[in-house]
Every structure is written in structure tokens, then in C-alpha cells.
Amino acid sequence: MPALGNKLYFNYGGQGPLPTPSLAAISASFATIQELGPFSDNVWPYVNRTVSGLRQRLAAWFGVVPERVAFTENVTSGCVLPLWGLPWQAGDELLVSDAEHYGVVAALEELARRHRLRVTSLAVADLTGDADATAAAVGQRLEAALTPRTRLVVLSHLLWNTGQTMPIAAVAARLAGYPRHPWLLVDAAQSLGSLPVAEAAAAADIYACTGHKWCCGPEGLGAVAVSQRLLEASSPTLIGWRTLEHDGPGAGGGYHRDARRFEVATSCTPLFAGLDSSLQLLEAEGDADARLAAIRRRSSQLWEGLQQMPGIHTLLAVPPPAGLVSFTMADPKGAPLDPEAVVKQLGDRGTWLRTLESPRCLRACTHLVSTAEEVERLLTQLAELIQLSAG
């Protein structure tokens, strides 16, 4: 990964650096397309093989059949495209967790405005304990928040702000037993490439991911796994030639019966080659459980180191279930340090993490390629900044 050669990088939850083999795969794909002719009879078998190969690989990661996987530009479009095609009725309620990303929340608010829906809140951002306690609390709060009008529940698999995981399969099971069987929309931006996702993706109605974060693929390509019942109920919303079962005269309304009905038009085929390469590199490091264990070794090292530092408070009260570590900093007198200033000072030292606005904190991410030495260097730099703040 060339991006890691001259810096300490802890922003995998924002964008993962592209591995050299994946960059080479993208370049080789561009070259192949030009050699075959970008719009010739000879190019389509190559394009179809590249796209269908990645669809099959992602379906295996998701634990679903390939017919339930659609390609999108990013996680937000993966959430929104199937969502807007559902048969909403005025007065339906959208139960949205208080830890969702602003982009998805904005889309839900616009959906509610247009269809006269009601948005309600499910509190999960304050859950900072272990997995069992978190799952129990989510179950209790979900039970209390559901009403006869609830038609959709929105819950991320791995919360992007606190780093907590949500019991998606258990939530899906509870909703299946509820009279109206509300849809379950899962923002999986932080999940694919960091957590085992098959159980959750197979259980959700919409499980939307991106390839450019923990998968370390190129930006501009994501995927969504949709349930069979959603395919039967949701209509395409943004329609193009890839939506159609037959691309030709009289094709209007003849949409794909599978998840391809949520694909639109021309995509950049080399991105598919690049993401496929990155996924293969991850697979070579072990199965999903083994990869998560490696990620957690470094995030636990960081979390435990932060516990020893006066002035630092981690959002989670237990070691992180994945690779996200969020925390606040204060000077020796207890005055909060400005997260933006901390990020700037660390960046001047060649170390990169990010700030979050809600809650206002810093977030560092560890991945498979993060080393124990890098984590120790970050801890040392944070301690130095606290000391410098003392004046």
C-alpha cells in the first residue's frame, strides 16, 4: 500500500488505502478494454465476466445468492435506491437509530416529507458495554419503540461513531414476528471488510456497503444485498438500461426480477477489477473471523493504551468489537482539547485520524495492516500532545 509508506494511517473507516495489486488490476482492466475496443462486440464478454465474478464473490461474503446483490456507487445509494421503491403509506413510521450517518438520515427525512411519514428514534449511541449487554438493551429498546405503524427500522451493523456493533440478525428475527413485519435497512459502511457479515446481510432487507473503506478497494463502487421479499415489493426508482431485462425497443417496464433492477447505467468496469483484487487479498489473510481477530488485536492494544493515559476517555467501556476506537482528550487540568486541533497537530507529525461531530471526539481505526509499533507511536504522540497542552 503506497499510502502507508510515509505516514501512520488510522482512517480506514473513512477510506482504505488501495493496495498495489488492486491499482495494477485497475490499470490492466483499462488497458484490456481499450485493446478490445471500449464499445465493441469483443469487449462485452470481458465486462460481463468482470462484473459477474465480483457479484459472485460478494454474494459469498454476504451469504446470499448472487441474484440478491446489486452494484451501486456507494453505501448511501445502496440504502436509498431500494428504499424509495417501497410502497409507503401516509402515517407509516420510520424507526431510525440515533447513531446513523447524516447522509442516510437526510434521505430518510426527505422520504418522510414526500410521503407524509413519521420519523421516530431508537437510542443506541449510549450503549458502550459488552456484546451481550448491548444486544439485550437493543432488544428491549426495540420492543418499546415499535408501534403498529412502524414500517421500517434503520440500524447500522457497526456504528460509525462509537464503534459498537448491533445485533442485526436478532433484530431481523424480532421484526419477522411483528404483525406488519417492518423492513430492516442496515448501513454496513463500516462492516464489510472488518466484520463477518454473512449472518447480518442475509437477514436484512437492505444491507448496503461500500468497497472503499475496510475493503481497501477503489472509491466509486459499492454493493447492496436485498431480501427476496423486498425484491417482490420494491420498484426501481432511478431507471436506466441496466435496470431493464431487455435493452431495446418496447423494454419500458420490463425490469430485472433480481437485484439488478436497482442498477442504473454505465459503470467503470476497472473499479470492479480493483475491488475484486482487494477482496482476494483480504481472503488470503484468513476467513472473516480470523481477519476480525487480527483487527481487534490492534484496536484492543490502542484501547488499553488509552485507558492508561490521564485526560483520555474512550467512548466504549470495553475493548472495541472491531477496529473503530473513538475517544476524547483533555489537558492535565481537565479542559477538553479541540479535536480538530489535535488532528492538525498529529497530521503535522505524519499521523492521520479524524474528528467526529456527534459525539464530538476523535476516531482512530486499526486494520489488518496496522502494526503494534504504529499503535505505540500513536499513543506516544497523544501523550506528548497532552503534555504540550499543559503550557
Side-chain angles (χ1 to χ4, degrees):
M1 291 179 166
L4 304 185
N6 58 358
K7 64 182 69 64
L8 296 181
Y9 192 80
F10 295 99
N11 271 338
Y12 298 94
Q15 183 159 341
L18 196 65
T20 297
S22 301
L23 181 59
I26 293 170
S27 298
S29 181
F30 270 118
T32 297
I33 289 170
Q34 294 307 309
E35 289 165 5
L36 293 171
F39 203 85
S40 67
D41 288 347
N42 293 334
V43 81
W44 299 119
Y46 168 76
V47 170
N48 292 335
R49 283 196 309 273
T50 303
V51 173
S52 64
L54 180 58
R55 194 187 308 272
Q56 291 171 18
R57 186 177 303 281
L58 282 170
W61 281 52
F62 291 146
V64 303
V65 294
E67 289 75 18
R68 284 176 54 184
V69 177
F71 289 112
T72 63
E73 286 185 312
N74 44 57
V75 66
T76 307
S77 57
C79 289
V80 172
L81 291 178
L83 181 67
W84 279 75
L86 290 171
W88 301 104
Q89 296 179 358
D92 285 345
E93 291 181 356
L94 314 179
L95 179 58
V96 184
S97 98
D98 63 349
E100 299 309 305
H101 193 275
Y102 317 125
V104 175
V105 172
L108 293 167
E109 290 174 344
E110 179 62 15
L111 178 74
R113 185 189 69 81
R114 294 194 188 187
H115 292 279
R116 292 179 293 166
L117 313 177
R118 181 169 178 256
V119 179
T120 60
S121 182
L122 176 67
V124 298
D126 64 325
L127 299 176
T128 62
D130 62 32
D132 290 341
T134 297
V138 170
Q140 293 167 0
R141 295 177 183 188
L142 178 67
E143 191 69 31
L146 289 170
T147 77
R149 288 189 171 276
T150 305
R151 201 68 188 98
L152 175 76
V153 174
V154 182
L155 185 64
S156 293
H157 191 176
L158 176 59
L159 302 186
W160 73 292
N161 33 31
T162 69
Q164 186 64 281
T165 52
M166 295 288 104
I168 298 301
V171 169
R174 174 64 190 93
L175 296 181
Y178 203 69
R180 292 191 70 191
H181 194 176
W183 309 104
L184 177 58
L185 166 62
V186 178
D187 180 335
Q190 300 298 335
S191 311
L192 188 68
S194 65
L195 295 176
V197 301
E199 183 183 39
D205 291 298
I206 301 173
Y207 192 87
C209 308
T210 184
H212 73 269
K213 295 181 184 288
W214 296 90
C215 292
C216 297
E219 62 270 34
L221 180 60
V224 57
V226 295
S227 67
Q228 186 58 43
R229 75 182 189 117
L230 183 134
L231 283 173
E232 295 168 359
S234 185
S235 301
T237 49
L238 185 59
I239 297 168
W241 62 265
R242 279 172 63 190
T243 317
L244 305 175
E245 193 168 33
H246 168 66
D247 177 21
Y255 307 128
H256 282 296
R257 299 178 186 274
D258 58 24
R260 289 175 295 171
R261 64 173 48 200
F262 301 115
E263 297 177 0
V264 184
T266 304
S267 293
C268 181
T269 301
L271 300 184
F272 289 73
L275 179 54
D276 192 65
S277 172
S278 291
L279 294 179
Q280 290 185 60
L281 290 169
L282 287 171
E283 290 171 354
E285 296 296 322
D287 64 18
D289 290 321
R291 296 195 301 269
L292 176 60
I295 290 171
R296 292 188 65 182
R297 279 194 289 272
R298 296 286 76 81
S299 65
S300 294
Q301 177 192 353
L302 176 56
W303 183 89
E304 290 166 0
L306 294 174
Q307 306 310 306
Q308 309 304 315
M309 299 173 61
I312 290 187
H313 172 73
T314 56
L315 269 58
L316 292 183
V318 295
L324 297 180
V325 184
S326 295
F327 58 97
T328 60
M329 296 177 63
D331 66 22
K333 295 181 180 180
L337 295 183
D338 178 52
E340 285 82 6
V342 172
V343 167
K344 171 77 167 57
Q345 290 171 306
L346 289 172
D348 291 341
R349 299 171 179 226
T351 299
W352 295 101
L353 38 77
R354 67 162 294 180
T355 64
L356 300 179
E357 293 182 14
S358 181
R360 186 168 170 77
C361 64
L362 294 135
R363 189 187 75 183
C365 303
T366 65
H367 207 338
L368 289 168
V369 294
S370 303
T371 67
E373 179 188 7
E374 289 173 336
V375 171
E376 288 302 321
R377 287 170 61 189
L378 173 59
L379 289 168
T380 297
Q381 291 177 5
L382 292 172
E384 291 172 352
L385 292 183
I386 291 175
Q387 290 301 315
L388 287 173
S389 70

